[in-house]
Amino acid sequence: ASPIPAPNPRPDIAYNKIFINNEWHDAVSKKTFPSINPATGEVICQVAEGAKADVDKAVKAAKAAFQLGSPWRRMDASQRGKLLNRLADLIERDRAYLAALETLDNGKPYAISYLVDLDMVVKCLRYFAGWSDKFHGKTIPLDGDFFCYTRLEPVGVCGQIIPWNFPLLMQAWKLGPALATGNVVVMKVAEQTPLSALYVASLIKEAGFPPGVVNIIPGYGPTAGAAIASHMDIDKVAFTGSTEVGHLIQKAAAESNLKRVTLELGGKSPNIIMSDADMDWAVDQAHFALFFNQGQCCCAGSRTYVQEDIYNEFVERSVEKAKARVVGNPFDFKTEQGPQVDEKQFKKILGYISTGQREGAKLLCGGNPAADRGYFIQPTVFGDVQDSMTIAREEVSAP
Amino acid sequence: MKKQRSDSNPAPVMPALPEPLKDLKIKYTKVIVDHVSVFLFPPQADVDKAVEAARKAFELGSTWRTMDASERGRLLNKLADLVERDRLILATMETIDGGKLFSTAYLMDLGAGIKTLRYCAGWADKIHGRTVPMDGNFFTFTRHEPIGVCGQIIPWNFPLVMFIWKIAPALCCGNTVVVKPAEQTPLSALYMGSLIKEAGFPPGVVNIVPGFGPTAGAAISHHMDIDKVAFTGSTEVGKLIKEAAGKSNLKRVTLELGGKSPNIIFADADLDAAVEFAHIGLFYHQGQCCIAGSRIFVEEPIYDEFVRRSIERVKKYTLGDPLKPGVQQGPQIDKEQYKKILELIESGKKEGAKLECGGGPWGDKGYFIQPTVFSNVTDDMRIAKEEIFGPVQQIMKFKTIDEVIKRANNTTYGLAAAVFTKDIDKALTFAAALQAGTVWVNCYSALSAQCPFGGFKMSGNGREM
């Protein structure tokens, strides 16, 4: 494997405003909000705070870019694919910078940003680039003297609201399919982690996407996010985040204009280890399933069920592994676990840990903050957990 | 110049039309859960009981879950056989309960219902997943699994067809269902309950709860143990359903809602065909169709002639008892609809549209409305914007392609549309430019079990069939 380039732990922040029509705008209100470095608790920079007025501007731009006869509507499907591949090329060119920016804003270890997040982002865009000109309709042998065919057409203006746990990857997962199929986008990035997505916006312009095709708004859920979910001129909303907010999004979509809704929400995924499993491999995988990305994955294996006869040994080995996990400065190549994404998550997690103890789960290791600065939490293992306990039922999103 | 036609495709032969049953006995009037008629109150309790039965029938290891997919298909075909056997009973019932012309019920509704059951029967064992060449050392495959308990809320305009459009795909894929038929027209659904039992579907697979929207319907859309709700009805109620789904358990939602579908007639169209299709496209089933072509845009040069022929087509109508032969138009479904339509007709007159014929109630009994034609309708009038769901035809004038595309798309609806032209460039342009789930070229209302159906924008979410 080629060596990972050394990171610049203080990357320059070139883009911190609202991206509409391939241009950078202040918020209509002129307000800004701070983006925080979770490893230190310090402010990285101020970012324009988009709200309803900015969403309105973005939707207007997106609608214009989607007009019948516009450059985007007239573009060959294969050309959309070329633009997506070009975007992937540019992300590859700036891979080290983006990985550093992602680590600075989210706290995930740089080696992982570089090797995993950025790798998957590039692959996702290339995958969808290839699909662009392969969306087939059908001819249908219906009853009667008719010729019948289906046409797959883009939905239109897609509102996309993405989370903070995989900022770049969530952006690629939303943009790839939407752009491959010819839609236009108004994307709200998470207030905890806006920076990498905004840099990608500059690459979207550089790649040659027409103005208005992608518009990106940093801002908060109850303002900018809600404005998207209830917008009368947005045709579809796609949201990744908590189930609690998912409810609000679907309700808002229903109350406004019946826009189509897709939701990727929380989980409490069971990981079941039978006694005939390869013990080493199972311990390894179960550890990875939970602890990856500081435990901040919707698909985290957060209920590990171990068959009785191997339970004790499995627990012992899992605790050993957790104790050995290296927590520290995410820019350090030795680090396996960085900080949690922000103070709110940090406090919530400590609350769950204390609830776990109170309800009678056995704290086998960890359970405390791992440093005096930043939002680091020790890798924590609970044994003898019962299904009725809060930590067995609610999504903790933690190591 | 005579049009070249193929000699080898004669017109399809319709089955002979029998007389409707004179003495229809209504046997099934109760809630059907687990093949058993029950009567519980309040409606929430009925829905809860039905969901419990449906959930049990869907348990891993149940008869339904372990049944071969092909066997599900065989059961659907058996159900089609039984519907065919009892075609006369169901058609008579549909006419009496829904005010539908008997000839239409027997030939079209029953025909479509039977064909849909057989179409879905054929799909049951052809629902394929995929193996996927993903990155890394993994074997990956997709499995298409039934969603689970499906709540299905159906309307009164095509009671039997809507019942079948809902249950056939759901059962074909292995789901279990809780159906709420419309309070105006519950009888054919309940009769189907008896045929479903006779065909051999396991208990709990299909449960039917007649009732009202705000009680039984709301119980379904709010239910925490229903995995998906499918609704056909008004846009107004569609919003409530989706909201309830979002509030409760984020159940999947598909909606088939209203429409205000544009029918665009160019001067180069076959005028006879255009007038006829525009007429049937609006007046079919007393105008009570979600796909009704209720905004007819006619190119200026042929406008006057088109209006003249449309009026003539409608003037000779016989209204009356839909069971009787020779009647072309039956009653509207109920008093509420009747009043709403008359109110919209009055708005048309008030806002300055030209009333060419009709324009008021007919007869002194029941909910009959004279077939009505308005010309010189402009886009801002209520009759040009709101869904009337009655025998009221709006004819507007247009000049250019770009103009009519804009005007046709200028609505929050998007269910269907049509264009009449012999110019292939125009036809293909409109097929792409119109924001509608179905676009007809030189025809209207052509529907068949093989075609997907659904709307853009606020005409719905998702596709049926």
Side-chain angles (χ1 to χ4, degrees):
Chain A
S2 49
I4 312 173
N8 171 4
R10 287 182 210 287
D12 275 334
I13 312 300
Y15 304 103
N16 60 348
K17 296 193 178 183
I18 299 172
F19 183 75
I20 296 179
N21 264 337
N22 285 3
E23 298 163 346
W24 296 98
H25 298 248
D26 288 320
V28 167
S29 67
K30 301 286 183 234
K31 283 164 83 174
T32 64
F33 68 96
S35 192
I36 312 274
N37 176 354
T40 61
E42 290 166 357
V43 175
I44 302 170
C45 66
Q46 293 291 325
V47 180
E49 185 185 328
K52 182 171 183 321
D54 307 281
V55 170
D56 286 341
K57 270 169 76 179
V59 171
K60 247 206 183 103
K63 266 188 91 170
F66 192 73
Q67 285 286 318
L68 260 189
S70 72
W72 185 238
R73 289 308 289 278
R74 300 286 295 121
M75 190 180 284
D76 285 337
S78 62
Q79 180 64 14
R80 296 199 300 264
K82 267 172 111 174
L83 289 179
L84 282 167
N85 265 322
R86 175 113 180 88
L87 179 60
D89 291 341
L90 295 175
I91 290 176
E92 263 180 331
R93 178 193 71 191
D94 297 345
R95 185 175 183 167
Y97 172 78
L98 275 165
L101 193 56
E102 192 83 320
T103 291
L104 186 70
D105 211 4
N106 167 281
K108 65 178 75 203
Y110 172 78
I112 306 221
S113 291
Y114 188 91
L115 289 175
V116 180
D117 294 60
L118 264 301
D119 179 64
M120 290 180 75
V121 165
V122 169
K123 283 186 160 156
C124 171
L125 292 173
R126 293 204 190 288
Y127 178 79
F128 283 102
W131 262 123
S132 298
D133 55 356
K134 300 173 183 69
F135 293 113
H136 300 152
K138 300 182 190 188
T139 59
I140 294 177
L142 85 157
D143 292 347
D145 278 341
F146 301 99
F147 170 59
C148 177
Y149 65 99
T150 61
R151 257 178 70 91
L152 271 72
E153 300 180 349
V155 161
V157 179
C158 299
Q160 306 185 320
I161 303 173
I162 62 176
W164 45 258
N165 58 347
F166 292 89
L168 280 171
L169 186 58
M170 292 295 98
Q171 181 185 44
W173 276 24
K174 292 279 185 281
L175 291 181
L179 298 178
T181 44
N183 293 284
V184 293
V185 169
V186 173
M187 173 178 282
K188 183 200 94 58
V189 296
E191 62 273 25
Q192 298 88 340
T193 53
L195 301 177
S196 52
L198 289 175
Y199 184 82
V200 168
S202 74
L203 300 182
I204 285 167
K205 175 177 178 172
E206 189 181 341
F209 285 87
V213 170
V214 178
N215 306 278
I216 303 187
I217 303 179
Y220 290 83
T223 46
I228 286 176
S230 46
H231 209 283
M232 294 302 287
D233 254 344
I234 286 179
D235 301 295
K236 175 203 171 155
V237 60
F239 169 76
T240 297
S242 70
T243 297
E244 180 194 19
V245 175
H247 283 285
L248 300 176
I249 303 254
Q250 180 149 1
K251 268 171 61 186
E255 284 165 353
S256 54
N257 68 342
L258 285 169
K259 57 175 68 61
R260 289 102 187 92
V261 178
T262 49
L263 304 170
E264 296 283 357
L265 307 176
K268 192 69 184 176
S269 305
N271 186 3
I272 300 160
I273 323 282
M274 309 295 289
S275 54
D276 66 3
D278 174 336
M279 173 70 81
D280 281 333
W281 181 244
V283 168
D284 221 51
Q285 288 295 293
H287 176 86
F288 171 75
L290 190 292
F291 287 98
F292 182 68
N293 207 44
Q294 291 69 252
Q296 299 166 144
C297 293
C298 50
C299 56
S302 48
R303 288 183 296 150
T304 311
Y305 289 93
V306 183
Q307 201 164 13
E308 207 173 42
D309 34 344
I310 54 160
Y311 184 83
N312 291 333
E313 190 182 348
F314 186 94
V315 171
E316 208 183 293
R317 293 199 197 198
S318 300
V319 170
E320 226 176 275
K321 210 163 163 68
K323 280 178 166 166
R325 194 165 179 80
V326 179
V327 182
N329 174 4
F331 282 102
D332 190 333
F333 282 140
K334 282 200 288 12
T335 297
E336 293 171 298
Q337 181 179 310
Q340 307 310 119
V341 78
D342 67 3
E343 185 170 19
K344 183 166 161 209
Q345 287 298 313
F346 177 75
K347 289 190 157 138
K348 187 165 156 216
I349 293 162
L350 292 174
Y352 273 115
I353 291 174
S354 106
T355 301
Q357 293 176 279
R358 219 179 339 108
E359 289 183 352
K362 222 158 111 196
L363 181 66
L364 299 169
C365 71
N368 293 308
D372 305 320
R373 225 170 48 123
Y375 313 121
F376 295 86
I377 294 193
Q378 296 171 341
T380 301
V381 179
F382 277 104
D384 294 345
V385 178
Q386 304 303 314
D387 292 359
S388 55
M389 293 178 182
T390 305
I391 55 173
R393 287 179 302 112
E394 292 181 25
E395 192 177 31
V396 184
S397 241
Chain B
M1 188 175 81
K2 192 162 191 287
K3 203 160 54 161
Q4 282 255 322
R5 301 191 73 124
S6 156
D7 290 330
S8 57
N9 60 352
V13 176
M14 287 294 206
L17 186 64
E19 278 198 6
L21 284 178
K22 299 243 184 308
D23 225 345
L24 183 66
K25 295 208 182 357
I26 309 296
K27 286 199 277 180
Y28 305 104
T29 57
K30 298 191 174 172
V31 170
I32 295 180
V33 169
D34 259 350
H35 288 337
V36 171
S37 289
V38 292
F39 183 65
L40 301 171
F41 188 83
Q44 176 79 47
D46 296 304
V47 170
D48 285 341
K49 199 164 164 77
V51 173
E52 220 179 289
R55 178 61 62 199
K56 186 135 190 285
F58 191 73
E59 258 173 17
L60 262 190
S62 72
T63 310
W64 186 238
R65 290 305 290 278
T66 50
M67 189 181 284
D68 284 339
S70 63
E71 178 64 11
R72 295 199 301 263
R74 197 190 65 77
L75 288 176
L76 282 167
N77 265 321
K78 180 86 173 97
L79 182 58
D81 292 341
L82 296 175
V83 172
E84 259 181 330
R85 179 195 71 193
D86 295 350
R87 187 171 186 162
L88 187 53
I89 297 173
L90 280 162
T92 307
M93 194 180 275
E94 201 78 329
T95 298
I96 293 174
D97 208 10
K100 197 181 277 281
L101 296 183
F102 174 75
S103 55
T104 303
Y106 188 89
L107 294 173
M108 307 303 286
D109 292 59
L110 265 298
I114 293 161
K115 282 189 161 158
T116 300
L117 284 169
R118 296 206 190 286
Y119 178 77
C120 289
W123 261 125
D125 58 353
K126 300 172 186 69
I127 298 169
H128 298 154
R130 301 184 188 183
T131 59
V132 178
M134 73 175 279
D135 291 345
N137 276 348
F138 302 100
F139 170 60
T140 304
F141 64 97
T142 62
R143 255 180 69 90
H144 284 225
E145 301 179 344
I147 298 168
V149 177
C150 300
Q152 307 185 316
I153 302 171
I154 57 179
W156 46 259
N157 55 348
F158 294 88
L160 184 65
V161 175
M162 292 290 100
F163 180 85
I164 291 172
W165 270 28
K166 292 280 186 285
I167 68 160
L171 298 179
C172 152
C173 298
N175 295 283
T176 58
V177 303
V178 173
V179 185
K180 183 200 97 55
E183 62 272 23
Q184 297 91 337
T185 53
L187 301 179
S188 51
L190 292 172
Y191 190 85
M192 287 297 288
S194 74
L195 297 185
I196 283 164
K197 175 175 180 174
E198 188 182 344
F201 284 88
V205 170
V206 179
N207 307 277
I208 304 170
V209 185
F212 289 80
T215 47
I220 286 175
S221 57
H222 281 95
H223 211 283
M224 294 302 284
D225 214 10
I226 286 180
D227 301 298
K228 172 195 174 163
V229 61
F231 170 77
T232 298
S234 69
T235 294
E236 176 193 21
V237 175
K239 292 172 86 171
L240 299 176
I241 302 254
K242 187 166 170 151
E243 196 189 324
K247 261 210 249 233
S248 55
N249 68 339
L250 287 170
K251 57 176 68 62
R252 286 103 188 90
V253 179
T254 49
L255 304 169
E256 296 284 0
L257 308 174
K260 192 71 184 174
S261 304
N263 186 358
I264 300 161
I265 325 278
F266 278 92
D268 66 7
D270 173 341
L271 193 54
D272 282 330
V275 168
E276 186 61 21
F277 275 111
H279 172 81
I280 298 184
L282 190 293
F283 287 99
Y284 188 74
H285 193 33
Q286 287 83 262
Q288 298 165 140
C289 298
C290 49
I291 49 170
S294 49
R295 289 183 295 150
I296 303 171
F297 293 95
V298 182
E299 201 181 356
E300 202 167 36
I302 52 159
Y303 184 79
D304 291 335
E305 180 62 15
F306 186 93
V307 171
R308 192 188 65 77
R309 294 197 197 191
S310 300
I311 299 165
E312 212 169 290
R313 178 64 177 85
V314 124
K315 268 204 162 127
K316 306 187 209 91
Y317 256 38
T318 307
L319 278 71
D321 180 352
L323 277 171
K324 297 210 159 56
V327 167
Q328 278 104 18
Q329 185 178 312
Q332 308 309 125
I333 185 66
D334 63 14
K335 192 177 204 168
E336 199 188 314
Q337 287 295 314
Y338 173 78
K339 282 164 90 172
K340 178 174 157 214
I341 297 161
L342 289 175
E343 197 249 322
L344 278 158
I345 290 176
E346 287 311 306
S347 80
K349 295 176 189 168
K350 226 176 273 141
E351 290 180 345
K354 180 153 178 246
L355 180 68
E356 297 279 0
C357 67
W362 177 90
D364 46 13
K365 233 180 14 149
Y367 308 121
F368 293 86
I369 294 183
Q370 298 172 46
T372 299
V373 178
F374 279 109
S375 67
N376 290 350
V377 177
T378 54
D379 294 359
D380 54 317
M381 296 176 182
R382 284 184 63 202
I383 54 173
K385 291 195 293 194
E386 295 175 35
E387 191 179 34
I388 302 175
F389 235 59
V392 186
Q393 190 180 48
Q394 284 66 240
I395 311 182
M396 294 95 132
K397 200 182 292 188
F398 79 90
K399 285 203 173 83
T400 71
I401 291 177
D402 286 338
E403 171 212 340
V404 78
I405 289 176
K406 268 211 185 68
R407 289 170 66 192
N409 287 337
N410 184 22
T411 166
T412 52
Y413 290 117
L415 191 55
V419 65
F420 283 79
T421 174
K422 288 308 195 180
D423 176 339
I424 196 170
D425 289 342
K426 278 213 219 37
L428 291 173
T429 298
F430 277 82
L434 289 169
Q435 292 168 354
T438 304
V439 177
W440 290 297
V441 177
N442 294 329
C443 59
Y444 205 93
S445 295
L447 285 177
S448 190
Q450 301 83 5
C451 307
F453 180 79
F456 280 33
K457 303 192 279 194
M458 292 181 77
S459 282
N461 288 171
R463 291 293 176 269
E464 284 192 306
M465 298 312 302

